[in-house]
Amino acid sequence: MAEEHLTAAQQAGLLQAAEEARKNAYAPYSHYQVGAALLTASGRIYTGCNIENASYGATICAERVAVAKAVSAGEKDFVALAVVADSTQPGSPCGICRQFLVEFAPQLLLIMGNLQGQVKVGRLDQYLPSAFNQEYLK
Ligand code: THU
């Protein structure tokens, strides 16, 4: 379950981890490098970068890499996700990533930044209202 707020220092630390992870982005096609850092309730941070492919549709976003690393390590309780890109406005998770994240943490705190230091903060449920979830499958 997401905490109500992170301190400014915690947010800055998560953005820094995302910026660092972005350096490993493999984006030879779009040249749009993205980094993500996912904070779990246990206090651990799982990072990710985008990994593109010559078969473009096989590309995976930074956010989903971070989630896959966390879940495969046995962690599914997410508090916040930072995403950083070199964009004119703070990076924003794509629709597939929003859906991927909502599975685990509808209230996830999103901390979106760019290399110019602009930051935008929001909740995942604001970014994916009326999300399809497991309730529909009952
Ligand atoms: N991408 C991400 O990794 N995360 C986002 O939030 C938006 C898009 C990647 C996918 C692709 O490698 C590149 O950015 C351009 O779409």
Side-chain angles (χ1 to χ4, degrees):
M1 190 62 196
E3 285 167 11
E4 199 53 42
H5 292 293
L6 291 193
T7 64
Q10 283 175 311
Q11 290 192 17
L14 210 54
L15 282 165
Q16 183 58 47
E19 194 172 326
E20 199 56 34
R22 181 182 167 275
K23 293 177 183 162
N24 292 324
Y26 176 73
Y29 306 107
S30 74
H31 305 289
Y32 184 72
Q33 288 105 354
V34 186
L38 185 64
L39 175 66
T40 66
S42 67
R44 289 187 191 85
I45 293 173
Y46 294 87
T47 60
C49 61
N50 54 330
I51 305 171
E52 298 187 343
N53 193 278
S55 177
Y56 295 175
T59 291
I60 184 166
C61 294
E63 296 91 325
R64 278 177 287 142
V65 169
V67 171
K69 284 167 71 176
V71 174
S72 62
E75 299 223 47
K76 292 191 280 290
D77 198 355
F78 305 147
V79 174
L81 174 98
V83 53
V84 172
D86 186 11
S87 41
T88 53
Q89 51 189 322
S92 186
C94 80
I96 295 173
C97 288
R98 294 177 195 194
Q99 181 66 34
F100 204 75
L101 288 161
V102 87
E103 178 76 15
F104 302 104
Q107 298 288 312
L108 190 70
L109 186 67
L110 294 176
I111 306 159
M112 298 157 281
N114 63 14
L115 294 188
Q116 287 72 51
Q118 292 176 302
V119 179
K120 199 165 142 187
V121 177
R123 292 275 170 197
L124 179 57
D125 57 4
Q126 300 171 316
Y127 283 77
L128 191 66
S130 306
F132 177 77
N133 58 30
Q134 56 188 280
E135 293 300 314
Y136 288 85
L137 301 176
K138 287 176 183 161

